Amino acid sequence: MLPWNRARRTPRARRTLAALLLAVAALVAPAATATAAETAAPSRGWNDYSCKPSAAHPRPVVLVHGTFGNSVDNWLVLAPYLVNRGYCVFSLDYGQLPGVPFFHGLGPIDRSAGQLDVFVDKVLGATGAPEADLVGHSQGGMMPNYYLKFLGGADKVNALVGIAPDNHGTTLLGLTRLLPYFPGAEDLLTMNTPGLADQIAGSAFITKLNAGGDTVPGVRYTVIATRYDEVVTPYRTQYLDGPNVRNVLLQDLCPVDLSEHVAIGTVDRIAFHEVANALDPARATPTTCASVIG
């Protein structure tokens, strides 16, 4: 049994959870083979293995998508943003389920961290750099912590920037407490989409991940959160505690920024300006509402 508790029945929340479960059921149903166009969507300006890091930006940047994301769609704005600033940028797919195209990050997170391990080695081998910087959205900001703590990633990574990461799991606005009212729902999530079950606050995975502290020595951490996050809740649980940590609330930088969980990681140029600052703190400039035009 997963560590979910019973809660007062809320009709709207129950309808939302039911919709989530239906989506999961649709994902795990037999799917037609993806066409070549579906599986080979090109990235533009990144994943260029001939790219060599410059003296100004000596480390390649590896982008780690979120749950239900993929290596292209999650980064259509941020990847070119960083490429245009002189970075060698790479992105991977991880956590794939058999027969499910496009929507990744659904497999067991410890195995996904192993995929990240292999990918970082590939990028370092191609670029000749001794270390990489990681930027991840949602699960992609949390999963690398497993790589850093348990798979030797701390020796290969200079910085981890998490955009709306579920570092301590999530309650999904309390929806997970309603799962006991849906017979079989826990088994559906755990058996068919373990990457979702692993992210629930209090899960065995989250408990192991955070045992002994949030961080490891030698890595710089930045967390960029939004108070309007409706997926990783409460939003303050995204923050990390430890040395070399900077926790940033988007609305402290621009009070009128209304980005929620998806927008902060996919289109928000104010958040992306802060990502650039985290990657190159020596050349950081103030992040404000005007950064949207930067």
Side-chain angles (χ1 to χ4, degrees):
M1 294 289 288
L2 294 173
W4 293 317
N5 300 318
R6 292 184 180 272
R8 179 173 58 87
R9 303 184 185 193
T10 306
R12 178 180 298 177
R14 292 185 66 181
R15 288 195 298 270
T16 304
L17 181 58
L20 172 63
L21 295 174
L22 287 172
V24 170
L27 279 175
V28 301
T33 302
T35 66
E38 290 173 331
T39 57
S43 60
R44 296 182 179 178
W46 76 98
N47 283 332
D48 176 5
Y49 286 90
S50 68
C51 185
K52 300 299 181 183
S54 65
H57 301 303
R59 292 174 299 275
V61 177
V62 173
L63 303 178
V64 190
H65 65 75
T67 308
F68 294 112
N70 61 62
S71 61
V72 176
D73 293 346
N74 213 137
W75 307 120
L76 291 172
V77 179
L78 180 57
Y81 181 94
L82 294 175
V83 168
N84 290 340
R85 282 157 179 77
Y87 289 92
C88 293
V89 180
F90 302 86
S91 60
L92 78 156
D93 287 307
Y94 70 87
Q96 299 93 330
L97 291 180
V100 181
F102 290 129
F103 302 107
H104 304 319
L106 298 170
I109 297 181
D110 57 350
R111 297 183 188 176
S112 294
Q115 292 177 274
L116 176 62
D117 185 12
V118 172
F119 189 80
V120 170
D121 284 349
K122 178 181 178 181
V123 168
L124 295 181
T127 61
E131 292 183 315
D133 289 327
L134 308 181
V135 178
H137 177 217
S138 192
Q139 181 190 162
M142 172 271 288
M143 176 269 278
N145 283 320
Y146 191 96
Y147 165 59
L148 297 177
K149 294 183 76 171
F150 301 111
L151 302 181
D155 294 332
K156 306 171 189 176
V157 173
N158 169 72
L160 170 60
V161 183
I163 307 172
D166 51 345
N167 286 317
H168 300 96
T170 178
T171 67
L172 279 175
L173 289 174
L175 291 178
T176 56
R177 298 176 183 173
L178 297 175
L179 281 170
Y181 295 108
F182 293 84
E186 294 181 28
D187 290 339
L188 175 65
L189 289 175
T190 303
M191 295 176 61
N192 294 307
T193 54
L196 293 178
D198 283 346
Q199 294 178 72
I200 300 302
S203 71
F205 175 85
I206 291 295
T207 300
K208 176 181 178 179
L209 178 65
N210 293 302
D214 290 347
T215 64
V216 295
V219 178
R220 290 189 297 105
Y221 297 83
T222 301
V223 174
I224 306 172
T226 172
R227 70 170 70 252
Y228 302 112
D229 200 312
E230 77 287 18
V231 175
V232 181
T233 57
Y235 75 84
R236 290 183 181 86
T237 62
Q238 300 174 25
Y239 294 157
L240 295 171
D241 183 28
N244 297 319
V245 170
R246 182 166 183 259
N247 295 310
V248 180
L249 183 63
L250 188 62
Q251 285 73 35
D252 287 343
L253 306 175
C254 178
V256 297
D257 193 322
L258 302 180
S259 288
E260 39 64 68
H261 182 79
V262 174
I264 191 177
T266 57
V267 297
D268 193 305
R269 292 176 66 91
I270 296 171
F272 296 165
H273 186 273
E274 194 62 19
V275 169
N277 281 346
L279 294 175
D280 192 0
R283 298 179 178 85
T285 58
T287 302
T288 67
C289 295
S291 298
V292 71
I293 60 175

